[in-house]
Amino acid sequence: MNELIREILTTNATKYETAEFLQGDPSWFMHQVEGRANREAMAFTASCLSYGSRKQFMPKIESLRQLFEGGMDAWIREGRFRNVFPDDNRCFYRLYTNHVMFQYFAAYQQLMSEYNTLGEYVRRHAKTGLEAVECICSYFSKQGLSVIIPKDATSSCKRVCMFLRWMVRTDSPVDLGIWSDFIDKRTLIMPLDTHVLQQSVALGLLTSRTTTMSTAIRLTNKLAEVFPDDPLRGDFALFGYGVTHET
């Protein structure tokens, strides 16, 4: 990797990994609740709803946050979501019907009954970022929720990787780092979508144009050349590059 690309990445990472990044980003929601369990549940749910237009999904996530007054862990654990999401096919957000949301929260409640928290489930089943993606996909796939969470780690699993970035990375004004004691941030996988792919190709970090897990891993390895102790710092770098090169 040439020095110009390194400089672009390091400069943008420093410029954009700030508290101001939270404004308008789904990571903002996990900072609006208190306590590890609530933040974990809020973050995972926000990541699951983060697709499509931010102007559309941000209000949907906010509508959920208003329901439980900061106590999302108990809201799920006690089954209070059943009063909000009738098991019918009315649309909640895009492909997510009330039925889908009901099934999602019911599966999350079941996970809590078995493992207490999502974090404890991942702790028992994963030692690396990729293993964490795989075990999260596996659990919710068995609950028939592939419409929300990919059935396996063949695709890039962008939203799951983004959630893991939030949970694992430390020393960040954005990410929480509450899973850093059992997942090493050096093993995290870059959250890859079409937009990030385009930026990566433009910078010469990738030649592939498919959003698969193998592509996400290749991109992560390239970013590790610049940020060896924290490859996903490159997520902010590519975000910044995209902002400065919007047309």
Side-chain angles (χ1 to χ4, degrees), residues 114-178:
E114 295 173 359
Y115 297 96
N116 190 39
T117 65
L118 178 56
E120 183 57 29
Y121 166 73
V122 173
R123 181 194 296 271
R124 295 189 195 182
H125 291 87
K127 295 184 183 299
T128 68
L130 181 57
E131 289 175 357
V133 173
E134 290 171 339
C135 75
I136 289 172
C137 289
S138 175
Y139 187 91
F140 287 95
S141 174
K142 292 173 183 176
Q143 308 298 322
L145 283 162
S146 59
V147 68
I148 294 184
I149 298 145
K151 64 181 180 179
D152 56 38
T154 303
S155 70
S156 66
C157 300
K158 185 255 183 167
R159 287 173 287 160
V160 179
C161 290
M162 178 177 69
F163 166 71
L164 289 169
R165 194 203 84 199
W166 295 347
M167 294 295 98
V168 174
R169 287 188 70 249
T170 54
D171 305 315
S172 172
V174 178
D175 301 329
L176 297 176
I178 59 178

Side-chain angles (χ1 to χ4, degrees), residues 2 12 20 32 59 65 69 74 96 140 147-148 174 188 211 218 236 239 247:
N2 67 49
N12 278 294
E20 286 71 28
Q32 308 311 306
R65 188 175 75 91
E69 299 179 349
Y96 298 176
F140 287 95
V147 68
I148 294 184
V174 178
L188 293 173
T211 52
R218 285 199 298 275
F236 297 93
F239 171 83
T247 58

